[in-house]
Every structure is written in structure tokens, then in C-alpha cells.
Amino acid sequence: MSERNIRDLEEGIERDLSGLNYGSYLQLDLLLSAQQPVSDNHDEMLFIIQHHVTELWIKLVIHELSAAMRFIADDQLGPSLKCLARIKHIQHQMTEQWSVLATLTPSEYLKFRGSLGKASGFQSVQYRLLEFLLGNKNRSMLEVFAHDLQAQERLRAALEAPSLYDEFIMLLSRRGYAVPPELLTRSWDEPHVLNSGLVAVFATVYENPKEHWDIYETCEELVDVEDTFQSWRFRHLKTVERIIGARKGTGGSSGTSFLKRALDLTFFPELYAVRTELT
């Protein structure tokens, strides 16, 4: 007689799940009912879940990034570094999941692409908010969200407030570093532009890391965040290229050409420029 291949429930395991339980705490009825394909194509479920998961990860990145910015504004670099480290790992997850969407072949995608209408990831409020928090400011993007005044105001608030990098630069000034004054009085709704004076500040830090350790460590964490973000952008580009080639995007963009231009954007230009200046 074969052995029983059954694991008995332990005595202490809860059997009365009335009240707060796993499903109700996570609101799984709501979460798992959100996947509503608009076609009868099998592969559309993959497409929806991929984007739902990405939006959830972006929500967590925004949560951590906002906390990091508050910590930096309060001169608490230690807790901010923990948030930035967590963001890196979230971004790795976001990047790796492109390999799942890449299993969608061009012929499979074309069977339901027409059902998507003009829906596009370009229209993600959370993604745009994330870009603004990281410093890629663009006031014209507010027009895209004129249909949703609440989202538009949320974006406007982030557009007109200091970015993560701005908060770090202001901390440097409070610490006594020779930050060029124009970086402290500029309009926050404009993207940061490479400043040679700030490169010189970072050169001082990188040439004597032991004397400036927490600043040095923060610089490297910021580079990690940008590096992993660019890796995500690149994998996005290559996945789109693999699935639709040079076709236009559903939202009207040029598709891969539009995504390629994003790879030229940088959030923290001085942290890359300083590497060339070190002697």
C-alpha cells in the first residue's frame, strides 16, 4: 500500500475565516475582477495582467520615492537610502517581467490590438508622476490628462515641486557644499540641466569618499536608480520592437522611435559627468 500523500492541517491553523482574512485584507475580489478583456482572444489576459502588475510596482516606487524625498528634506540620508535601495529591487522586477510579455508574438498581438482603441501606456498617470518626481519635467504633458482633473492636479503639484534630485541638491547646500545658487532658486517645473559647478561639487565628493561617505553613498544610490530605470526603458523598447516592429503605437506615438528618444534622457547628469572629470 502506498503512503498517504496528504498533509494534514495543523491544529493551530485558523478554520473560521469570518472577519478579516487573506482575501478580504488584500481585497482580492476587487483585484482579481479587474482583468476584463475587451476581446475573446486568449492572449489579451497576459497583456492586461502585465500592465496591471507594472502599475502596482510603479505605485510602490512612487510610495518609496516620496518617502525618500521627505527623508532627504529632513536631512535624514540613512532612511532615504533604504527607500532608494528598495526602489532598485522593484525596478529589477519591472524589468524582468518584460520577458513574460515578450512571449506574445506579433500575430497573437494583432488579433486583439484593434480592440485596444487609443489606449496606450503613454497615458499612465502614475508613470508620468514617476517621471516628474525623478526630474523629467514637461508641462505640456498636463494637456494629455485634461479629461481627468484630479489626475491633472496631482501631476501639476509634482511638476511645480522639487524633484528627488532637487531635494538632494538642497541638502548639499545645507551641508555647506558650494552648490551654484541658480540651482536653488530655479523654477521647479523645468527639467534640470547639466551644471558644471555641481559637477565640481561631486568631484570633491568622489575624490575623497571617506570624508563625504553618506553623500558619496547617496550619489551611487541615485546612479543605481537611474541605471535600473534606463534598463527598464531599454527592455520596454526591445519588447515593443519584438512585437510590433516599426508600427505606430496605439496612442498615436511613433512607437519604437519614440521610445528610443527616451533613452537619451537623464535625471542626474552631473553624477555621470563627474566620472569623466576625476583625475
Side-chain angles (χ1 to χ4, degrees):
M1 180 180 293
S2 61
E3 295 182 4
R4 292 175 70 242
N5 192 24
I6 299 175
R7 184 176 62 172
D8 294 330
L9 289 180
E10 297 174 356
E11 289 187 9
I13 289 180
E14 293 285 351
R15 291 169 171 79
D16 179 4
L17 300 186
S18 57
L20 186 66
N21 58 53
Y22 180 79
S24 61
Y25 172 67
L26 295 177
Q27 299 191 58
L28 291 182
D29 287 345
L30 177 63
L31 178 65
L32 298 179
S33 64
Q35 294 74 46
Q36 299 290 331
V38 293
S39 75
D40 58 1
N41 187 271
H42 168 82
D43 297 297
E44 189 184 351
M45 184 62 75
L46 161 63
F47 192 78
I48 292 173
I49 289 178
Q50 172 89 19
H51 288 82
H52 274 171
V53 172
T54 298
E55 288 289 336
L56 287 171
W57 281 131
I58 292 176
K59 182 174 183 176
L60 184 54
V61 171
I62 291 170
H63 178 72
E64 297 293 337
L65 186 57
S66 299
M69 292 168 67
R70 290 193 299 270
F71 284 128
I72 293 172
D74 290 338
D75 296 314
Q76 299 184 62
L77 282 184
S80 74
L81 292 175
K82 174 61 185 293
C83 294
L84 295 177
R86 181 173 289 167
I87 287 170
K88 287 189 303 183
H89 291 292
I90 298 168
Q91 290 174 314
H92 283 306
Q93 293 296 318
M94 291 171 61
T95 300
E96 287 301 312
Q97 72 182 40
W98 285 120
S99 62
V100 182
L101 190 62
T103 65
L104 185 68
T105 67
S107 55
E108 290 168 344
Y109 179 52
L110 287 174
K111 289 178 181 177
F112 67 86
R113 187 177 193 251
S115 302
L116 303 179
K118 57 186 178 183
S120 165
F122 177 80
Q123 301 152 10
S124 168
V125 176
Q126 287 201 127
Y127 177 76
R128 197 56 50 193
L129 177 60
L130 176 57
E131 288 260 11
F132 283 3
L133 292 175
L134 288 172
N136 185 19
K137 304 290 185 75
N138 185 346
R139 182 169 289 276
S140 65
M141 283 303 307
L142 296 180
E143 301 173 18
V144 177
F145 301 95
H147 67 289
D148 185 342
L149 294 181
Q150 184 176 5
Q152 189 181 57
E153 287 309 307
R154 187 183 182 196
L155 290 173
R156 190 190 310 278
L159 176 74
E160 297 174 352
S163 69
L164 170 66
Y165 200 38
D166 293 323
E167 292 289 3
F168 183 49
I169 291 170
M170 288 189 284
L171 178 142
L172 291 174
S173 179
R174 293 193 298 272
R175 291 276 191 95
Y177 291 90
V179 172
E182 63 269 22
L183 296 180
L184 305 173
T185 58
R186 72 182 192 85
S187 177
W188 303 128
D189 63 355
E190 295 293 331
H192 175 85
V193 178
L194 178 69
N195 184 289
S196 59
L198 187 58
V199 175
V201 170
F202 288 135
T204 299
V205 172
Y206 274 81
E207 287 170 355
N208 301 281
K210 290 183 179 180
E211 296 179 20
H212 311 271
W213 185 258
D214 58 346
I215 298 297
Y216 173 75
E217 187 177 8
T218 304
C219 290
E220 285 299 286
E221 286 289 346
L222 291 175
V223 172
D224 283 345
V225 168
E226 172 151 346
D227 186 36
T228 49
F229 193 87
Q230 289 288 56
S231 295
W232 180 83
R233 277 177 168 163
F234 179 75
R235 287 291 290 126
H236 182 193
L237 163 66
K238 300 308 290 184
T239 302
V240 170
E241 187 175 54
R242 175 176 178 148
I243 296 174
I244 69 170
R247 290 173 179 268
K248 279 191 171 186
T250 49
S253 75
S254 57
T256 54
S257 296
F258 177 78
L259 296 175
K260 284 177 183 177
R261 290 197 296 274
L263 293 174
D264 293 328
L265 299 174
T266 180
F267 301 122
F268 320 125
E270 291 83 3
L271 292 178
Y272 286 90
V274 72
R275 284 151 164 78
T276 307
E277 299 299 320
L278 295 178
T279 58

